[in-house]
Amino acid sequence: MREPEPTPADQWSGWETEPKPPAYWPGLGNEQRQGGLEIDRKVTKAVAGKLVGLATDADMDGTFERHGSLEAIPNLHWRLPGDLGRLLQSAGALTRLVWSDLHAEVGMAGLLIERASARYDLVESPRLGDIPLSELAARMPGEGPLGRAGQPSHLYPKGSDPLELAKGTDYGVGDMTAAKAVHDFSFSTFWLYGNVPAYFDAMAASLVELANTLPLRAQDLRDAPWHGEAADMAQGALRQIHGNVTSLAATAGTLNAAAERYKEIVYWCSANFEKAVDPHRGGWDEFWDLGGTADSRTRSFLGEANNAFTDIYQMMPKRISLDLPGLLVNDDMTAGLRSNIDRLVDFPELSAANREWLADNKPLLRTYEKAEQTYG
């Protein structure tokens, strides 16, 4: 009897939400042959084409459209579900950006390996070099990775954005009244219309498939054969990309569970609020049956749900991170960023916005320079 195949959830649940390259990778370490370059150019080019295909065939925009859109959160008096919903909404946009960066990086790895299969100077100059982003974009139809803008996200190649509620904010229900709750529950679902959590689920499943495929292509490169310093560099880049793929899969899977639980709580509250709280029952009737006031019943009802929303926040990742090789970085991008930084640094006085821009982009320039130094 055959063992059942592991589901995507079985796999991503064992991965970390922070990028971490796998311990083993085909074609690295003891598997990297000594004694210089060895390459079957025809087979290596074919494998490279498959890597490009992993990026160009991707269609998360289509998946996003099939499962609805992230609706705007209304201004609720009940603060926790409102802020938590906005946090999940922000996570949806962030994961989409990182997903695009990952697939673009895989595509660029394929283009660089494809070009390497046609080069004869890899012994003297083993670095992979640059390919303009426009060449990658030309291989990607419609709104594929990088979209129309043709540029990586603000997190690329190494950065993170927090997914945290505001510190010092009172997320209790002590100021809630029946009237406020009636207003809030007029927005029957607060957020997540239709099947939106399935967006995170579809993203996690697609990333699990990508994570399973990348080592197979690395094995194909090793068996082509392709060995030498340039091959080692390419394999190391694929290994680092893989660590980011598994981390985003784990992040998307966890966010899917959080979004599903969010929906469950909101639906339960919407279905039971009027019956449990009876917010329109007023006057002395509330005291004759020892039921307390409508406001006290509201706070009691919302308090229990508030604890469940807090549990959702605890289960969510607290940031979305990216740590990629930087294969999309080229001389023009680095020179342009360096020029903009130098121009601002020379100003005698800077606005707060410019100071913030410099603080963000000086570290980015260092990552660009490191990528250029490593890969050429």
Side-chain angles (χ1 to χ4, degrees), residues 25-359:
W25 192 256
L28 288 178
N30 293 332
E31 297 186 5
Q32 179 59 233
R33 295 185 188 176
Q34 303 302 314
L37 174 66
E38 179 183 9
I39 181 170
D40 183 317
R41 300 185 186 280
K42 182 177 180 180
V43 178
T44 300
K45 182 179 180 180
V47 177
K50 292 180 180 179
L51 286 170
V52 176
L54 290 175
T56 58
D57 293 342
D59 180 24
M60 206 61 208
D61 286 317
T63 299
F64 189 84
E65 290 168 3
R66 286 195 297 275
H67 294 303
S69 60
L70 299 172
E71 300 291 340
I73 303 295
N75 290 320
L76 304 177
H77 298 93
W78 186 8
R79 187 173 290 114
L80 183 54
D83 285 6
L84 185 59
R86 273 181 282 274
L87 198 60
L88 285 165
Q89 184 184 43
S90 174
L94 277 172
T95 54
R96 180 63 181 85
L97 291 175
V98 175
W99 183 93
S100 292
D101 286 342
L102 286 176
H103 282 77
E105 192 88 334
V106 172
M108 183 60 78
L111 289 184
L112 290 168
I113 295 168
E114 192 174 71
R115 188 177 63 182
S117 70
R119 286 172 52 187
Y120 289 85
D121 62 342
L122 289 178
V123 176
E124 293 79 15
S125 180
R127 294 195 300 172
L128 299 175
D130 290 337
I131 291 179
L133 288 174
S134 58
E135 189 170 330
L136 177 62
R139 300 276 286 265
M140 294 181 174
E143 291 287 336
L146 297 184
R148 295 185 186 278
Q151 293 292 328
S153 76
H154 65 287
L155 295 180
Y156 182 86
K158 182 181 178 65
S160 65
D161 269 357
L163 285 179
E164 296 184 280
L165 293 172
K167 290 179 171 59
T169 300
D170 181 7
Y171 283 109
V173 295
D175 64 344
M176 287 300 293
T177 65
K180 290 178 179 179
V182 167
H183 172 270
D184 287 353
F185 281 108
S186 66
F187 302 99
S188 60
T189 57
F190 299 167
W191 181 62
L192 301 176
Y193 285 94
N195 203 26
V196 169
Y199 165 67
F200 289 124
D201 188 47
M203 175 176 283
S206 77
L207 289 164
V208 167
E209 184 177 358
L210 180 59
N212 291 337
T213 303
L214 283 176
L216 299 178
R217 299 293 80 82
Q219 187 71 44
D220 291 342
L221 288 173
R222 175 192 177 277
D223 296 342
W226 184 29
H227 300 286
E229 194 172 341
D232 190 59
M233 200 173 291
Q235 292 282 27
L238 290 175
R239 175 175 177 258
Q240 187 174 350
I241 294 169
H242 185 274
N244 285 262
V245 172
T246 56
S247 72
L248 187 61
T251 297
T254 304
L255 289 170
N256 174 61
E260 287 285 6
R261 182 63 179 141
Y262 183 99
K263 273 182 62 174
E264 289 174 3
I265 297 169
V266 168
Y267 287 161
W268 184 88
C269 289
S270 298
N272 291 280
F273 174 68
E274 293 280 346
K275 177 175 59 178
V277 174
D278 195 8
H280 305 293
R281 180 176 170 84
W284 287 102
D285 290 339
E286 294 177 335
F287 293 98
W288 295 128
D289 60 11
L290 304 179
T293 66
D295 291 347
S296 66
R297 290 196 301 273
T298 295
R299 285 187 283 271
S300 177
F301 179 87
L302 299 184
E304 183 178 352
N306 221 49
N307 292 334
F309 282 124
T310 300
D311 290 340
I312 291 175
Y313 179 62
Q314 295 302 323
M315 72 183 284
M316 288 173 56
K318 296 302 178 284
R319 64 178 183 172
I320 293 178
S321 301
L322 198 58
D323 185 10
L324 287 170
L327 302 180
L328 303 177
V329 176
N330 55 48
D331 291 334
D332 289 342
M333 291 171 63
T334 306
L337 182 59
R338 186 185 294 114
S339 174
N340 289 334
I341 289 174
D342 291 345
R343 189 162 52 246
L344 279 180
V345 168
D346 290 339
F347 275 31
E349 294 185 7
L350 289 176
S351 65
N354 282 335
R355 286 196 300 271
E356 183 179 351
W357 186 91
L358 277 175

